[in-house]
């Protein structure tokens, strides 16, 4: 697709909903008739497992295959790494092999662009490519940011996870300045929101008030729900069995925002 948008789903803090957001946002975009590719850029391979490939370390081709061939400048059909999911999204899986890539990249020329070069040919086939980043700010994550046009930052509406967002924003700024001038923060996504607790609402309001003038804070918030966690064990998204749930509705709304319909830039004055 000539206007393919590559979006990294990133936060160095674990447990904030990166993988769940990547999968469900991807399927929500596919339901809007968009061609979507998901990339698992985490050696824990939770995205790969949650979409129905628990034998991730036995897969013949993964993101590591792409990056190794890119590093060694070997001609390779990247589409051989693409798996087809029943809900209309494609996946480039991951495996534990990716954990060794950090060291391999150290001595690689133009190491920050290894992933970008590896997936460039795939962009003609998709409207969106979503990259599920690992919970760190190491070289694999830098590669993901270098390959992306936008970053979505999932943030759990608790105090400590919100604090960690500051370092990621600094890293995004450094990548933009030194590696990828076109990189922008698409928005901050509040996840695991428990509207019943005062802490959750206070933290959400603090994030909107502190960052709303500088960053897009998505109007959509992802509520906490046990079924969202349980559904990942089935290899499918929240839309497969709970399409009318609050979580599914939240991801549908997020897809509309990301896809340009209903975009909402929250100002601090909007949240009082």
């Amino acid at each position: 697709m000539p206007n393919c948008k590559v979006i990294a789903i990133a936060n160095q803090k674990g447990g904030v909903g990166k993988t769940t957001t990547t999968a469900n946002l991807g399927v929500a975009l596919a339901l809007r008739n968009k061609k979507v590719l998901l990339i698992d850029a985490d050696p824990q391979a939770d995205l790969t497992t949650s979409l129905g490939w628990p034998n991730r370390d036995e897969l013949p081709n993964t993101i590591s295959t792409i990056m190794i061939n890119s590093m060694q400048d070997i001609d390779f059909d990247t589409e051989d790494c693409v798996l087809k999911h029943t809900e209309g999204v494609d996946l480039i899986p991951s495996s534990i092999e990716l954990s060794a890539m950090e060291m391999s990249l150290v001595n690689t020329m133009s190491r920050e662009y290894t992933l970008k070069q590896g997936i460039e040919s795939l962009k003609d086939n998709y409207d969106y490519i979503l990259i599920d980043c690992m919970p760190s700010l190491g070289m694999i994550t830098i590669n993901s940011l270098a390959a992306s046009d936008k970053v979505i930052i999932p943030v759990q509406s608790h105090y400590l996870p919100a604090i960690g967002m500051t370092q990621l924003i600094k890293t995004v700024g450094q990548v933009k300045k030194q590696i990828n001038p076109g990189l922008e923060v698409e928005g901050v996504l509040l996840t695991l929101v428990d509207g019943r607790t005062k802490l959750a609402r206070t933290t959400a309001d603090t994030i909107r008030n502190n960052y709303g003038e500088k960053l897009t804070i998505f109007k959509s918030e992802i509520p906490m729900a046990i079924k969202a966690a349980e559904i990942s064990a089935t290899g499918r998204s929240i839309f497969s069995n709970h399409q009318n749930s609050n979580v599914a509705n939240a991801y549908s709304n997020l897809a509309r925002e990301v896809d340009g319909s209903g975009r909402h830039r929250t100002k601090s004055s909007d949240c009082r």
Side-chain angles (χ1 to χ4, degrees):
M1 303 291 177
N3 295 316
C4 177
K5 182 186 289 186
V6 184
I7 303 175
I9 315 296
N11 192 326
Q12 79 276 16
K13 171 68 176 169
V16 297
K18 291 189 297 295
T19 298
T20 301
T21 293
T22 305
N24 289 299
L25 173 58
V27 172
L29 287 168
L31 290 171
R32 293 175 62 81
N33 296 316
K34 302 299 179 182
K35 296 284 189 178
V36 181
L37 172 66
L38 310 180
I39 298 179
D40 192 342
D42 186 344
Q44 296 182 53
D46 288 340
L47 179 63
T48 302
T49 300
S50 69
L51 289 177
W53 285 274
N55 60 333
R56 62 273 184 103
D57 294 331
E58 299 175 12
L59 294 171
N61 294 313
T62 66
I63 185 176
S64 298
T65 310
I66 293 174
M67 295 186 73
I68 289 170
N69 282 283
S70 179
M71 287 165 54
Q72 298 176 356
D73 199 23
I74 297 173
D75 287 336
F76 174 74
D77 189 351
T78 311
E79 292 191 21
D80 289 344
C81 295
V82 176
L83 303 175
K84 302 291 183 179
H85 191 267
T86 56
E87 292 182 84
V89 296
D90 291 348
L91 170 71
I92 294 178
S94 184
S95 69
I96 194 63
E97 186 180 9
L98 186 63
S99 62
M101 291 299 300
E102 295 272 2
M103 292 297 296
S104 300
L105 287 167
V106 170
N107 297 318
T108 300
M109 186 176 296
S110 301
R111 57 186 178 269
E112 297 91 349
Y113 301 102
T114 301
L115 178 59
K116 178 181 175 64
Q117 294 167 351
I119 66 172
E120 194 66 29
S121 62
L122 292 172
K123 293 171 70 173
D124 291 339
N125 302 330
Y126 298 99
D127 297 297
Y128 289 95
I129 297 177
L130 307 183
I131 305 177
D132 182 24
C133 296
M134 61 193 300
S136 77
L137 296 178
M139 188 53 65
I140 301 299
T141 299
I142 297 301
N143 262 258
S144 299
L145 295 176
S148 299
D149 305 302
K150 304 287 185 178
V151 185
I152 290 177
I153 305 174
V155 178
Q156 187 177 358
S157 55
H158 291 177
Y159 179 67
L160 289 178
I163 291 294
M165 185 176 70
T166 302
Q167 181 57 50
L168 176 61
I169 291 173
K170 289 182 180 179
T171 300
V172 170
Q174 291 172 344
V175 171
K176 177 180 175 65
K177 183 177 180 180
Q178 301 175 18
I179 301 172
N180 182 4
L183 183 65
E184 301 287 350
V185 175
E186 176 83 349
V188 175
L189 174 67
L190 296 175
T191 63
L192 302 173
V193 176
D194 186 349
R196 300 169 300 176
T197 67
K198 182 177 179 180
L199 174 61
R201 294 312 328 158
T202 299
T203 305
D205 289 343
T206 298
I207 291 173
R208 292 185 185 280
N209 289 331
N210 289 346
Y211 294 97
E213 292 292 337
K214 299 177 181 178
L215 297 172
T216 295
I217 312 295
F218 288 113
K219 184 177 181 180
S220 306
E221 296 182 0
I222 310 303
M224 181 179 294
I226 294 176
K227 65 181 63 176
E230 291 177 341
I231 197 69
S232 63
T234 70
R236 299 175 67 82
S237 78
I238 192 69
F239 295 96
S240 60
N241 294 315
H242 304 286
Q243 64 268 29
N244 295 319
S245 67
N246 290 337
V247 176
N249 289 334
Y251 278 115
S252 294
N253 291 335
L254 176 63
R256 280 193 287 271
E257 291 192 76
V258 169
D259 201 33
S261 176
R263 180 65 55 81
H264 176 89
R265 176 174 290 276
T266 299
K267 303 296 185 182
S268 57
S269 59
D270 294 332
C271 307
R272 293 175 182 172

